Amino acid sequence: MKTITTTAALAEFCDICAKHPYVTVDTEFLRERTYYSQLCLVQMAYPGADDSSGVLIDTLAEGIDLAPLYALFRNENVLKVFHAARQDLEIFVLNAGVMPTPFFDTQVAAMVCGFGDQVGYDTLVRKITRANIDKSSRFTDWSRRPLSDAQKSYALADVTHLRDVYEYLAAELERRKRSHWVKEELAVLTDPATYKVDPETAWQRIKTRNNNGRFLAIVRELAAFREADAQSRDVPRSRVMKDDAILELAALRPGTLEELGRARLLQREGRKPAVSEAILAAIARGMATPGKEQPKVAEAPQRKQGSGALGDLLRVLLKAKSEETDVAAKLLANAADLEALASDDDPDLPCLKGWRREVFGEDALRLKAGKIALSAGPNGVEIVAR
């Protein structure tokens, strides 16, 4: 198997790729010790009958410039095929400001072709190509060199089998007339904003049952400090402070270094003088936040009378539609969607937009309005006009 270690060899390979309608792409990276992912390897293959058309690009090779690869990613004439691409795209967007276009994700395509919710690559390869992938190198430290033959074979299999998977799914989408479904799903993945974390909104990822405005204001300030600090030093956010430490500090509200020192959950990093001062400053900003500027958690809407029973009917309809279309129910709507649909007069939900509305949402609204009913028939649940 070929490993590319120079810019010249990479440019030559990318020139060959540019002559094909698509290429398959995967990455290996590390993120345990950094905020941003460290790209260690890129695997690529163009259409072909064997592994000779696939290569490993050693991104850690001395002197290699990935500019030819990024030029290929910008080439609108070549489709870039990934599986479960979110983390791969995040690397290219944040590290190089590059979004591979046009782009196809086989995991997304598989979800709308009857392979279940977030199906894994190994499972997809086995079901479509009948091949089994050796998983022994799954937990490799991809930053270490040299790579063994087993590691290289494992990495290359991520793109060589992907060609058969892509071609099967593309044909299946065309046959089922669902290509536009996938296009809608990929819109979020191809938006660069998806991969950029704003420190000011980082607090929203922290789970807490405390809805007190001042408590949440402190959580917001601490989370913003942690995110900005982790980004600037390229360290994991958990190394700066863990979520439970932020919640403890928001509850204790220390105002001095001595009081801060009594926090049980603050790690060694947070006890360094410069970090400790920044933490106290963040707590002070949270304490000083005026009431009207304090974060507020949206209260769950009150259930309308009969909405529980309507929710049960919607769940039956969802299951029936899932079985009818061979699409995972969770992809069409989740439990929160159904509850909101049953309780709210005018909900803004994904299941009422795009292809989901076409498959499920339209009938859900008709059921809610009493225009259709559900009946048990010889072939399962049937929709009956009223």
Side-chain angles (χ1 to χ4, degrees):
M1 66 201 75
K2 183 177 181 181
T3 301
I4 290 177
T5 59
T6 67
T7 305
L10 177 58
E12 181 181 354
F13 176 74
C14 289
D15 285 343
I16 296 172
C17 289
K19 299 174 183 177
H20 292 274
Y22 74 85
V23 292
T24 53
V25 189
D26 191 37
T27 67
E28 306 297 345
F29 56 89
L30 290 181
R31 199 173 186 173
E32 288 79 8
R33 299 183 293 273
T34 58
Y35 182 90
Y36 298 104
S37 297
Q38 178 189 12
L39 183 60
C40 299
L41 198 70
V42 176
Q43 306 96 280
M44 290 182 62
Y46 52 79
D50 54 39
D51 292 353
S52 63
S53 56
V55 302
L56 306 178
I57 303 167
D58 186 351
T59 59
L60 301 182
E62 186 176 355
I64 193 168
D65 185 345
L66 299 183
L69 175 65
Y70 298 145
L72 178 66
F73 282 174
R74 295 187 182 98
N75 187 335
E76 295 284 344
N77 296 318
V78 182
L79 179 70
K80 274 64 73 172
V81 179
F82 294 75
H83 180 82
R86 189 183 182 97
Q87 289 183 303
D88 302 311
L89 297 182
E90 180 183 32
I91 293 172
F92 296 129
V93 169
L94 297 184
N95 291 12
V98 176
M99 174 62 73
T101 53
F103 154 73
F104 186 92
D105 191 319
T106 55
Q107 186 179 71
V108 174
M111 286 194 287
V112 301
C113 286
F115 287 91
D117 185 42
Q118 295 184 323
V119 60
Y121 179 69
D122 300 346
T123 301
L124 205 54
V125 168
R126 186 172 64 254
K127 288 185 175 181
I128 292 176
T129 72
R130 308 301 178 192
N132 289 308
I133 295 176
D134 180 4
K135 302 178 183 178
S136 59
S137 297
R138 178 175 295 242
F139 300 107
T140 287
D141 179 350
W142 294 102
S143 67
R144 298 186 65 178
R145 296 294 184 271
L147 296 174
S148 68
D149 288 343
Q151 291 168 331
K152 291 179 180 179
S153 294
Y154 169 84
L156 195 62
D158 284 344
V159 290
T160 52
H161 294 300
L162 190 56
R163 296 174 299 195
D164 295 326
V165 169
Y166 161 68
E167 291 180 3
Y168 174 88
L169 290 174
E172 191 69 4
L173 288 171
E174 189 67 25
R175 183 182 71 81
R176 299 190 185 199
K177 295 181 172 53
R178 295 181 179 180
S179 296
H180 67 288
W181 295 11
V182 174
K183 187 175 182 180
E184 285 182 31
E185 292 302 292
L186 297 183
V188 173
L189 288 175
T190 53
D191 182 358
T194 299
Y195 307 99
K196 295 177 182 177
V197 179
D198 180 2
E200 296 304 316
T201 60
W203 70 276
Q204 296 172 355
R205 297 197 309 269
I206 299 177
K207 296 180 180 179
T208 175
R209 295 180 180 178
N210 190 334
N211 294 336
N212 177 270
R214 195 163 303 285
F215 175 88
L216 292 177
I218 298 171
V219 169
R220 180 175 63 186
E221 294 296 334
L222 287 171
F225 157 70
R226 177 181 69 173
E227 202 72 27
D229 188 54
Q231 290 176 353
S232 66
R233 295 193 289 130
D234 194 20
V235 298
R237 59 175 66 90
S238 60
R239 180 174 156 185
V240 181
M241 260 189 304
K242 293 186 177 179
D243 286 1
D244 55 1
I246 287 179
L247 297 176
E248 180 190 33
L249 292 174
L252 293 177
R253 305 176 185 181
T256 66
L257 290 173
E258 182 181 355
E259 291 173 346
L260 182 65
R262 297 180 192 140
R264 296 182 302 104
L265 301 177
L266 195 62
Q267 298 161 272
R268 184 173 59 183
E269 187 79 14
R271 299 182 188 277
K272 293 180 179 179
V275 179
S276 294
E277 293 289 355
I279 289 174
L280 290 175
I283 293 171
R285 288 194 300 273
M287 291 285 292
T289 302
K292 62 181 180 180
E293 296 177 14
Q294 293 172 358
K296 292 179 176 58
V297 177
E299 295 183 5
Q302 286 190 333
R303 278 193 171 189
K304 292 185 177 180
Q305 185 175 4
S307 65
L310 177 57
D312 290 338
L313 283 176
L314 289 170
R315 276 185 279 277
V316 174
L317 176 66
L318 177 63
K319 185 170 178 57
K321 286 293 184 178
S322 171
E323 292 176 352
E324 176 190 328
T325 57
D326 199 20
V327 175
K330 287 184 179 179
L331 188 61
L332 292 173
N334 58 35
D337 290 339
L338 297 182
E339 186 170 337
L341 188 56
S343 301
D344 297 354
D345 292 330
D346 187 25
D348 181 18
L349 302 169
C351 65
L352 298 180
K353 299 175 183 177
W355 70 269
R356 288 180 175 84
R357 184 180 184 111
E358 176 186 334
V359 174
F360 168 72
E362 203 64 56
D363 279 335
L365 291 174
R366 292 169 64 205
L367 179 66
K368 182 177 177 179
K371 295 179 179 179
I372 61 172
L374 302 179
S375 173
N379 298 317
V381 175
E382 297 177 353
I383 295 176
V384 181
R386 296 186 65 179

